[in-house]
Amino acid sequence: MEYRFVTLWRIEAPIEAVCEAVSHSLNWPQWWRNVESVEELAPGDARGIGSVRRYTWRGRLPYRLTFDICVIHAEPLTAVAGIVSGDVEGHGRWSFTTDGCVTSARFEWQVRTLPIWMNLLALFARPLIKWNHDGVMRHGGEALARRLNARLVGIAHDSSLVQTAVTTD
């Protein structure tokens, strides 16, 4: 089953602080309660390109997901993207912008689930899976704001945030 999620965190904090916290995912289990573990499998180059990390997550539903992310793109203070493999496969991307004192961290997650049980569950529980994902991301935004001692201006989980290309004939 395929999923496309987009989450936008708006935090009243410097872009450098937000990017630093998001980029150092080995520290996520210290502040993001849904992240059970992050393990570095390969360090990558100086910018992190080629690094591989294994993540284990647990949301509100009674299951865990474990997957690896290999970083394929990294621009300081702008974006980081990776290829995902494991219980889910696809790609994910964080991008960062700032407007005055508010930093926006946008997470795009386009994956398909591989476990048979999860695909069977999705046939009737797709809204629950979205609810679970949105809850994990809400907890992350709240936790990041606390970690940075910053005000969380807002969180949006909405497919309308997905940017689509317009083509003309």
Side-chain angles (χ1 to χ4, degrees):
M1 195 62 74
E2 292 190 13
Y3 297 90
R4 178 136 191 213
F5 299 112
V6 177
T7 301
L8 182 68
W9 295 340
R10 293 178 34 91
I11 300 173
E12 199 172 87
I15 193 168
E16 296 83 1
V18 173
C19 289
E20 175 85 10
V22 171
S23 297
H24 288 90
S25 63
L26 290 171
N27 296 329
W28 288 0
Q30 296 170 13
W31 55 270
W32 194 341
R33 73 180 185 199
N34 302 103
V35 184
E36 290 191 347
S37 66
V38 180
E39 174 187 358
E40 186 169 68
L41 304 179
D45 69 13
R47 291 185 305 147
I49 305 294
S51 72
V52 179
R53 293 185 177 166
R54 177 162 294 151
Y55 298 82
T56 300
W57 294 79
R58 184 177 182 129
R60 296 184 273 191
L61 295 177
Y63 64 83
R64 286 178 177 82
L65 286 178
T66 298
F67 51 83
D68 299 344
I69 298 180
C70 176
V71 174
I72 59 168
H73 176 81
E75 291 179 59
L77 305 181
T78 303
V80 62
I83 300 296
V84 182
S85 61
D87 288 340
V88 294
E89 68 178 22
H91 62 272
R93 176 183 169 87
W94 285 97
S95 56
F96 307 94
T97 58
T98 188
D99 182 14
C101 62
V102 175
T103 296
S104 294
R106 178 187 169 107
F107 180 66
E108 297 176 55
W109 190 237
Q110 188 167 347
V111 294
R112 68 183 186 98
T113 52
L114 297 181
I116 292 170
W117 68 266
M118 194 169 209
N119 291 331
L120 291 173
L121 175 70
L123 293 174
F124 62 90
R126 192 174 180 94
L128 281 176
I129 292 170
K130 180 182 179 342
W131 169 80
N132 190 59
H133 180 271
D134 290 352
V136 166
M137 294 306 293
R138 182 177 50 78
H139 291 150
E142 292 167 351
L144 178 58
R146 278 192 305 274
R147 181 168 182 85
L148 299 177
N149 196 26
R151 185 171 72 93
L152 180 63
V153 176
I155 298 176
H157 315 277
D158 194 307
S159 60
S160 68
L161 293 172
V162 176
Q163 296 177 358
T164 56
V166 177
T167 59
T168 57
D169 294 333

